[in-house]
Amino acid sequence: MKQTLPSHGQLITPCDLDFDRVKELQEFDETKAGVKGLVDSGATKVPRIFIHPHENSQSPPSDANGTSLQIPIIDLRGYRDSRRKDVINGIRKASEAWGFFQIINHGIPLDVMDNTLEGVKKFHEQRVEVKKEVYSRDGAKRVRYFCSGDLFALKAATWKDTVVFEFQDGDLEPEAVPPICRDAVFEYEKHIAELKTSLAELLSEALGLSSDYLSGTECMKSETVIGHYYPACPEPELTLGTVHHSDLSFLTLLLQDHHGGLQVLHESHWLDVVPVKGALLANIGDFMQLVTNGKFKSVEHRVLSGQVGPRISVACFLAPSKTGKNRPLGPIKELLSENNPPIYKETSLSEYVACFRSHGLRATSTLPHFRMSDSK
């Protein structure tokens, strides 16, 4: 299904309404029950703090011609030998034109993927008294659970709960992860770590570089595994599961269940990403666009709320090593030429994230702030 971008409406936003938004946000946050707690309490209306401005809310379908575009599918079967050239070409084309691609035959067993989704679901469906032990908005805590990561920064909260597991350089103490999902999370991360090595090689070659180039920069050494829980929503047209955004990472790998709801912005239209059983969805992050000098695209995407749920997804954000987060990176010199001068300044991931937060840019890309002043 294709949806046309809504025009910026002139309707009032929740911020304009006659209610104490901050007070209601604080009261909601202090319950530590998340959106699931609202649903479990029997809520039949979306609370005001979740109602999104008109220009951000779900737009009606406008696919008059019945056009159906699909995210490219990359089959990794035989990528080490006979099909390597075809796989690399497919990744290059998808990264340049879409910024997204589905990966099949990636080597992660289906039961491992299913167990991961089930583990995240079980975590979120625990009693509040158990979950709240890890409820926190402190980004320094490597395992934490919360509702709407930018709860106090966005114009409206998002209809999802989240649990985060930060594997810095592939390391995380098992005892820090709740027992109900511990085995599933660690088993999944082990397979992701193997897959990302192969993807780093393929992406390097897709850029015309040596296969060990990206792994040598340690730009995807750390993994942050995030388990989202999107409860069924009584009024999905009023809110969003995730606002439109692009990822700050180098690469994101997404595991999702069958419910759908994810949309990608392609040629000024929102396109549904139809779940493919057993597939992982890969998308280029802002930092990959920066170091490739715009060759690979970081694309905006969002998640719609739905009346059927819960929807479960597990995103793995691949980013620089713990020490590498402060190391400046810029467009790869081997990709530059007189006809292709750098269009982005050097920056570190830490500086980039700080800029993102200081400008309150949750729903817009931070990349323009790092464009060279003389680039167009």
Side-chain angles (χ1 to χ4, degrees), residues 215-274:
S215 60
T217 66
E218 296 189 341
C219 64
M220 296 192 291
K221 189 170 183 180
S222 289
E223 306 109 25
T224 299
V225 177
I226 299 183
H228 294 306
Y229 184 98
Y230 300 85
C233 181
E235 299 175 300
E237 71 282 358
L238 297 181
T239 189
L240 288 167
T242 302
V243 297
H244 69 274
H245 69 287
S246 59
D247 294 345
L248 307 186
S249 58
F250 268 83
L251 187 72
T252 304
L253 298 175
L254 180 73
L255 167 63
Q256 58 178 334
D257 67 11
H258 64 283
H259 281 100
L262 176 64
Q263 292 188 325
V264 171
L265 188 61
H266 182 69
E267 297 179 351
S268 298
H269 292 88
W270 287 111
L271 301 178
D272 292 324
V273 178
V274 180

Side-chain angles (χ1 to χ4, degrees), residues 66-92:
T67 305
S68 180
L69 296 175
Q70 297 293 329
I71 300 293
I73 295 179
I74 305 298
D75 186 349
L76 291 189
R77 176 178 46 86
Y79 80 93
R80 292 191 181 278
D81 40 61
S82 61
R83 295 191 60 253
R84 191 174 186 88
K85 184 176 180 180
D86 290 339
V87 171
I88 290 169
N89 285 338
I91 289 176
R92 181 177 62 253

Side-chain angles (χ1 to χ4, degrees), residues 30-47:
E30 287 169 3
T31 69
K32 301 182 180 181
V35 177
K36 186 177 186 302
L38 290 175
V39 174
D40 289 346
S41 70
T44 58
K45 296 287 185 180
V46 171

Side-chain angles (χ1 to χ4, degrees), residues 283-294:
N283 70 274
I284 301 299
D286 287 357
F287 242 78
M288 183 72 82
Q289 178 168 327
L290 187 148
V291 301
T292 64
N293 207 40

